[in-house]
Amino acid sequence: MDADSFPEIRESVRRLCAGFPGEYWRKLDASRTYPTEFVQALTQAGFLSVLIPEEYGGSGLGLGAATAILEEIHRSGCNGGACHAQMYTMGTLLRHGTPTQKQAYLPGIADGSLRLQAFGVTEPTSGTDTTRIRTFAQREGDKYIVNGQKVWISRAEHSDLMLLLVRTTPRDQAAKPAEGMSVLLVDMRQAVGNGLTIRPIRTMINHATTELFFDNLEVPAENLIGEEGKGFRYILDGMNAERILIASECIGDARFFIDRASTYAREREVFGRPIGANQGVQFPIARNYVETQAAALMVDRASSMFDAGIPCGTEANMAKMLASEASWHAADTCLQTHGGFGFAEEYDIERKFRETRLYQIAPISTNLILSHVGTHVLQMPKSF
């Protein structure tokens, strides 16, 4: 991301984040607690509704503004993972929902009275092969009966609504593997204890992720988004937005690490001079800066294409890969630059180091991105 884009938004985000310093995040990290106050502050400031059209109470801005917000959150040492889905998950509803559905939910999502932060796709047996999901929704009159299981569904305990991808036609009966899947909007407030069980998963970072179990969960048929069987196509745009926005978070992380490393290298003296005078310390930080600037240009490119309505699956994937690698390399350099102090919780390096490592894996793994480029762009044969 161009650090000069949306200057007023960036300054506002920085001011907000200043109220949530490192000790706030360290306390949450230790207790694995959701950052409720931070999410409320972002909501009240209107930062989570920037992509929702003005007619529904949002700002009606493009993905470029959203990337600026998330980048600054992460550069400030905060973490947008607790709430970034509130920005983009509603995109499937916005683009493919009925006028009645949009009017019923988008205003509440815009003002924060409704949280749509859960996106139920991944399953234990299918992993990244989404066409092999098994969670099934059987139509019975005016409702669907849902049975199955999801895993790595973040924020499910802190969301009022969830977009759920299910099979409505078995894979072996669908015309194509990607057909026969549908999207349901699930009201979590009614579902929990009535066919939905949420089980938290403790992980390396404080990411509020869970496993979901569906046992004859009833969902009103009117909660079907778009046409039955076309759900996979509906979620693809949302996945592109997710990858671009998470790429911007990685740019923010990378710049956090570069800021911290270069400052420490200027100030820390060993053997009578700043350690930043040593090429072995200076050059890796400089290389991280170059890599991050290049990745930021790819994020800009992908978000501009998305906002222009140009197909950008490849660009979204490449932006996410380049940005996540830039942040991970900068994290490693920053930790190395700080030496033993980098492992001390009070410096916030080790927390951010753990947090940014996630994006080598989620929301899509680096290997799957390389496979996409190899097969879809370079026309090489699939390995699977």
Side-chain angles (χ1 to χ4, degrees):
M1 281 298 301
D2 180 355
D4 296 325
S5 63
F6 302 97
E8 293 180 358
I9 289 178
R10 289 176 182 274
E11 177 57 31
S12 295
V13 174
R14 284 193 289 268
R15 284 199 305 269
L16 187 153
C17 289
F20 298 90
E23 52 262 35
Y24 172 80
W25 297 97
R26 291 194 292 273
K27 185 176 180 180
L28 296 178
D29 197 54
S31 60
R32 290 297 195 267
T33 305
Y34 186 77
T36 301
E37 303 85 359
F38 179 67
V39 175
Q40 288 175 341
L42 287 173
T43 301
Q44 291 166 4
F47 291 132
L48 300 183
S49 60
V50 291
L51 298 176
I52 296 176
E54 291 182 80
E55 63 184 292
Y56 298 112
S59 303
L61 298 177
L63 205 65
T67 58
I69 291 167
L70 290 174
E71 182 196 324
E72 290 300 331
I73 287 173
H74 280 248
R75 187 171 188 171
S76 297
C78 301
N79 191 300
C83 53
H84 55 203
Q86 184 84 356
M87 280 184 168
Y88 59 79
T89 305
M90 63 82 211
T92 301
L93 171 64
L94 176 63
R95 283 186 293 272
H96 305 289
T98 65
T100 300
Q101 289 172 330
K102 288 188 278 191
Q103 194 58 56
Y105 296 109
L106 288 176
I109 295 169
D111 66 25
S113 59
L114 281 177
R115 284 185 180 171
L116 172 55
Q117 298 197 29
F119 192 29
V121 177
T122 307
E123 298 184 6
T125 57
S126 62
T128 50
D129 187 357
T130 304
T131 67
R132 294 187 184 277
I133 64 168
R134 297 179 182 177
T135 298
F136 199 86
Q138 181 69 45
R139 178 72 182 260
E140 293 186 5
D142 61 354
K143 61 191 175 185
Y144 285 95
I145 308 299
V146 181
N147 284 282
Q149 183 180 355
K150 298 286 182 180
V151 73
W152 311 125
I153 310 305
S154 299
R155 300 163 298 272
E157 295 176 291
H158 306 281
S159 190
D160 300 312
L161 306 170
M162 173 175 60
L163 277 183
L164 179 66
L165 186 69
V166 295
R167 275 237 166 249
T168 42
T169 301
R171 188 176 189 270
D172 58 5
Q173 295 178 26
K176 296 179 181 178
E179 295 183 5
M181 288 181 279
S182 303
V183 176
L184 299 177
L185 186 63
V186 177
D187 190 325
M188 307 283 277
R189 298 164 298 181
Q190 298 175 8
V192 173
N194 292 302
L196 171 61
T197 301
I198 303 176
R199 181 180 298 168
I201 302 175
R202 189 174 175 89
T203 62
M204 186 171 73
I205 60 174
N206 182 27
H207 204 65
T209 198
T210 64
E211 192 169 19
L212 308 180
F213 300 88
F214 302 93
D215 183 14
N216 292 324
L217 172 68
E218 296 185 4
V219 179
E222 64 188 28
N223 285 26
L224 174 71
I225 304 296
E227 293 182 54
E228 186 174 290
K230 303 288 181 66
F232 184 72
R233 180 166 57 85
Y234 298 157
I235 68 169
L236 287 181
D237 272 352
M239 287 181 169
N240 287 335
E242 178 183 45
R243 289 166 195 179
I244 295 167
L245 289 169
I246 283 177
S248 72
E249 292 184 340
C250 291
I251 296 297
D253 279 347
R255 288 176 169 157
F256 167 89
F257 290 120
I258 292 166
D259 291 345
R260 292 295 183 96
S262 57
T263 299
Y264 190 78
R266 288 193 300 270
E267 297 174 352
R268 171 68 168 166
E269 291 193 3
V270 178
F271 301 120
R273 65 177 184 175
I275 62 173
N278 300 308
Q279 293 180 355
V281 174
Q282 182 183 117
F283 286 7
I285 301 172
R287 180 176 290 277
N288 294 150
Y289 178 83
V290 173
E291 187 178 9
T292 299
Q293 292 298 95
L297 290 175
M298 192 70 241
V299 178
D300 275 342
R301 167 74 171 161
S303 64
S304 296
M305 292 176 69
F306 186 94
D307 284 338
I310 300 170
C312 61
T314 295
E315 288 75 15
N317 275 316
M318 292 194 297
K320 185 267 173 183
M321 175 180 156
L322 291 172
S324 66
E325 292 192 340
S327 67
W328 178 237
H329 296 159
D332 191 55
T333 297
C334 187
L335 190 65
Q336 191 71 20
T337 301
H338 281 76
F341 289 108
F343 288 85
E345 289 184 354
E346 66 182 282
Y347 279 73
D348 294 310
I349 306 299
E350 63 85 27
R351 171 178 60 84
K352 294 284 283 183
F353 181 90
R354 287 183 284 112
E355 289 173 355
T356 209
R357 180 60 178 83
L358 172 65
Y359 297 130
Q360 294 291 299
I361 297 169
I364 180 175
S365 73
T366 300
N367 281 347
L368 206 60
I369 292 174
L370 293 172
S371 174
H372 169 90
V373 173
T375 58
H376 288 79
V377 180
L378 302 177
Q379 304 301 313
M380 291 188 281
K382 274 193 170 186
S383 59
F384 54 87

